[in-house]
């Protein structure tokens, strides 16, 4: 029996900050961002967007035409959670009208947890092949302003329906694993922005890659020559290039040029969106499937999933014949292209107003044009709503206008 991804879709935010604008503002040569880290734009959420609204927007098309009663599990992976107790997936379950006979849970281990969710989903479906699992990964990547991580911020969500009819990608059983207690990137509960030891994080990412590969081979996994393409966790796209060259050298099987060819097209979307933490490696998969000209049917794709702290997993999947019929290429490209560009002043305003750590009531006027929005936070409760189609404010000065000042700053909502 084949198990894996039957359907997959992604969503990103309303606004976009070109990294050329950031480079100008912080006095950095733009080549450092465009070439040095391989990023061109970063997605920036509107005040009425968050991990729940992006997740619901990503998942809605995946559920079209599905028998919702077959979806008895929702696994929500995130490291930018909105509540220390309630799973964000419960809001999404409601917004999408899923069956109440369903288990919903949130998983956390930095950028890795969507892969844990995927593997758990496969295991659940192996046990009950008539059931399906909705796996969602949704994150807003935030660092302090003027920090090394700032140009790698981003926002996005991916939704995958896992079933015994893997019309997009059949996931193979062999997996290489690696866990190491390291402090390369972390976010204590009292912070809304991550702390990172940037250069160290790159070095332990590479260590984890080599170790996970060695374990993958020991577990009976294929040699590198058996893979046609590779998708990496991409906090910035240049890292994927370096990572695959590292793996090529480590396995001694590929030249740099061959390694670069294997990750071509997996970088296209991430370069425009930025780091999406848990969603990043699977947005890379969509980028490959939707932007590669060649027919990938029957091709084996390798995945390297890394979450700081750290946990890593390497595994393979085989693209299924007919996968192109399952894609929403036009919709996804539009998601990226229709984002509204903001200037640096607006970005700093949006960056300064995280809603996670300060209590108080907030009403958010519509800014997002997505089908779901965060309407308000009242009495420490987040109120979401479904909207048919919200038209964008005509005046650019209205961008970020819905941010409200906390009226009860003494309260902490965590
Ligand atoms: P930095 O220290 O500001 O940059 O940030 P740099 O000085 O090392 O420059 C970067 C590259 O740009 C260098 O190339 C420069 O030569 C080049 P390299 O030596 O790397 O090949 N450069 C230029 N190129 C062309 N034209 C120019 C120019 N100027 C310089 N004019 C750093 C780099 C990665 C540290 C930073 O982006 C950072 O802190 N990022 C956040 C941490 C991160 O993403 N780490 C990745 C591994 S950890 C991970 O993946 C997990 C994570 O997603 C979180 C999670 O799991 O939850 C982060």
């Amino acid at each position: 029996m084949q198990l894996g991804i039957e359907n997959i879709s992604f969503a990103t935010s309303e606004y976009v900050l070109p990294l050329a604008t950031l480079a100008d503002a912080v006095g950095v040569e733009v080549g450092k961002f465009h070439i040095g880290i391989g990023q061109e734009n970063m997605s920036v959420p509107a005040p009425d967007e968050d991990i729940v609204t992006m997740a619901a927007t990503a998942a809605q098309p995946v559920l079209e035409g599905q028998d919702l009663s077959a979806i008895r599990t929702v696994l929500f992976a995130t490291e930018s959670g909105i509540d220390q107790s309630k799973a964000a997936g419960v809001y999404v379950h409601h917004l999408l009208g899923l069956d109440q006979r369903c288990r919903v849970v949130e998983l956390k281990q930095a950028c890795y947890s969507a892969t844990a969710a995927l593997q758990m989903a496969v295991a659940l479906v192996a046990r009950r092949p008539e059931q399906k699992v909705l796996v969602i990964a949704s994150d807003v990547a935030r660092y302090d302003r003027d920090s090394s991580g700032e140009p790698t911020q981003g926002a996005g969500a991916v939704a995958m329906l896992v079933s015994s009819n893997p019309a997009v990608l059949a996931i193979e059983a062999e997996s290489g694993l690696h866990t190491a207690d390291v402090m390369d990137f972390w976010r204590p509960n009292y912070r809304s922005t991550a702390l990172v030891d940037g250069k160290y994080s790159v070095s332990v990412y590479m260590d984890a890659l080599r170790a996970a590969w060695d374990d993958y081979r020991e577990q009976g996994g294929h040699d590198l020559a058996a893979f046609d393409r590779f998708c990496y966790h991409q906090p910035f796209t240049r890292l994927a290039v370096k990572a695959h060259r590292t793996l090529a050298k480590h396995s001694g099987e590929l030249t740099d040029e061959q390694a670069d060819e294997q990750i071509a097209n997996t970088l296209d979307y991430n370069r425009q969106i930025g780091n999406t933490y848990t969603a990043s490696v699977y947005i890379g998969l969509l980028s490959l499937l939707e932007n590669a000209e060649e027919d990938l049917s029957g091709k084996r794709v390798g995945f390297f999933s890394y979450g700081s702290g750290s946990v890593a997993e390497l595994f393979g999947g085989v693209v299924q014949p007919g996968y192109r019929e399952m894609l929403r290429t036009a919709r996804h490209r539009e998601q990226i292209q229709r984002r509204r560009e903001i200037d640096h002043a607006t970005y700093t305003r949006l960056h300064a107003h995280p809603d996670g750590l300060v209590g108080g009531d907030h009403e958010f006027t519509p800014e997002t044009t997505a089908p779901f929005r965060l309407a308000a936070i009242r009495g420490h409760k987040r109120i979401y709503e479904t909207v048919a189609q919200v038209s964008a404010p005509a005046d650019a000065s209205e961008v970020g206008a819905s941010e409200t000042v906390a009226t009860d700053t003494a309260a902490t909502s965590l």
Side-chain angles (χ1 to χ4, degrees), residues 15-26:
Y15 298 130
V16 61
L17 180 74
L19 289 187
T21 305
L22 183 64
D24 256 4
V26 298

Side-chain angles (χ1 to χ4, degrees), residues 276-332:
T276 51
Y277 290 159
T278 52
S280 163
V281 62
Y282 301 105
I283 291 180
L285 168 63
L286 271 171
S287 183
L288 168 65
L289 298 177
E290 296 182 348
N291 295 311
E293 277 176 22
E294 73 175 291
D295 182 359
L296 296 170
S297 301
K299 305 278 185 198
R300 177 169 291 108
V301 181
F303 295 87
F304 178 66
S305 177
Y306 176 83
S308 284
S310 70
V311 178
E313 180 160 350
L314 193 148
F315 64 98
V318 177
V319 180
Q320 298 299 293
Y323 73 97
R324 281 185 157 145
E325 286 158 39
M326 308 302 292
L327 301 179
R328 298 177 184 80
T329 307
R331 179 193 164 101
H332 289 147

Side-chain angles (χ1 to χ4, degrees), residues 329-344:
T329 307
R331 179 193 164 101
H332 289 147
R333 288 184 182 161
E334 198 216 327
Q335 283 265 334
I336 292 171
Q337 280 157 10
R338 76 181 183 125
R339 290 171 302 173
R340 287 184 284 149
E341 186 177 324
I342 51 174
D343 59 19
H344 191 258

Side-chain angles (χ1 to χ4, degrees), residues 28-38 79 109-112 139 141 143 147-152 184-186 194 196-206 233-236 238-239 242 275-278 280 306-311:
V28 163
E29 180 116 354
V30 71
K32 177 169 177 179
F33 297 159
H34 286 177
I35 301 162
I37 62 169
E79 61 172 298
Q109 176 25 60
C111 301
Y112 164 71
D139 267 307
Y143 293 91
S147 68
S148 69
E150 185 181 24
T152 71
D184 60 330
F185 167 108
W186 66 106
V196 65
D197 185 342
K199 303 269 196 267
Y200 179 59
S201 74
V202 171
S203 139
V204 291
Y205 178 109
M206 299 303 167
H233 166 56
Q234 299 169 42
F236 50 96
R238 185 74 194 153
L239 190 70
K242 288 184 174 181
N275 196 353
T276 51
Y277 290 159
T278 52
S280 163
Y306 176 83
S308 284
S310 70
V311 178

